[in-house]
Amino acid sequence: QVQLVESGGGLVQAGGSLRLSCVSSGSIFSINVMGWYRQAPGKQRELVATITRGGITHYADSVKDRFTISKDNGMTTVSLQMNTLKPEDTAVYYCKGRMWNGMEYWGAGTLVTVSS
């Protein structure tokens, strides 16, 4: 079992920055990949960025060069630095952990609102 808790969401003006954090607890040694996903009103949840235990990162095209995902050595905390935010980045941001056995765990989400 893994528990994930996100924080750092809020209201920011377009062009501003926010840093999201996801703190993991439980069987974190079994986590292989951590990721950030987002869901805007009326839209499907979409991938934002992922990072493996080995540090390999992947980004959605829409956030490349603006967002940076990072982690600590033990995958206890995964962060998402979001710069040059746009109104279309407004969404609930979710943290997801995937275990070596394929099981996945989600956090409850944190709301990011970007005003124009």
Side-chain angles (χ1 to χ4, degrees):
Q1 283 273 352
V2 171
Q3 295 78 42
L4 304 174
V5 179
E6 304 98 334
S7 63
L11 173 64
V12 64
Q13 287 189 331
S17 298
L18 279 176
R19 186 177 181 85
L20 306 183
S21 293
C22 174
V23 177
S24 309
S25 61
S27 301
I28 58 176
F29 57 88
S30 297
I31 297 175
N32 180 30
V33 182
M34 294 288 292
W36 285 96
Y37 294 72
R38 66 187 182 187
Q39 187 165 17
K43 295 188 177 181
Q44 289 190 331
R45 193 171 297 188
E46 63 178 5
L47 179 146
V48 176
T50 61
I51 187 165
T52 68
R53 182 171 285 276
I56 298 172
T57 58
H58 172 76
Y59 296 91
D61 287 343
S62 59
V63 306
K64 275 181 183 176
D65 300 324
R66 298 190 298 124
F67 292 9
T68 302
I69 190 171
S70 61
K71 66 174 185 70
D72 63 4
N73 286 336
M75 296 288 262
T76 302
T77 302
V78 175
S79 299
L80 185 70
Q81 178 66 42
M82 306 186 295
N83 299 327
T84 319
L85 282 161
K86 304 176 181 179
E88 51 262 45
D89 294 318
T90 295
V92 178
Y93 283 70
Y94 298 90
C95 177
K96 186 182 85 170
R98 189 173 75 212
M99 318 291 269
W100 292 101
N101 64 7
M103 289 189 66
E104 297 180 342
Y105 295 89
W106 291 89
T110 185
L111 177 63
V112 172
T113 304
V114 184
S115 64
S116 57

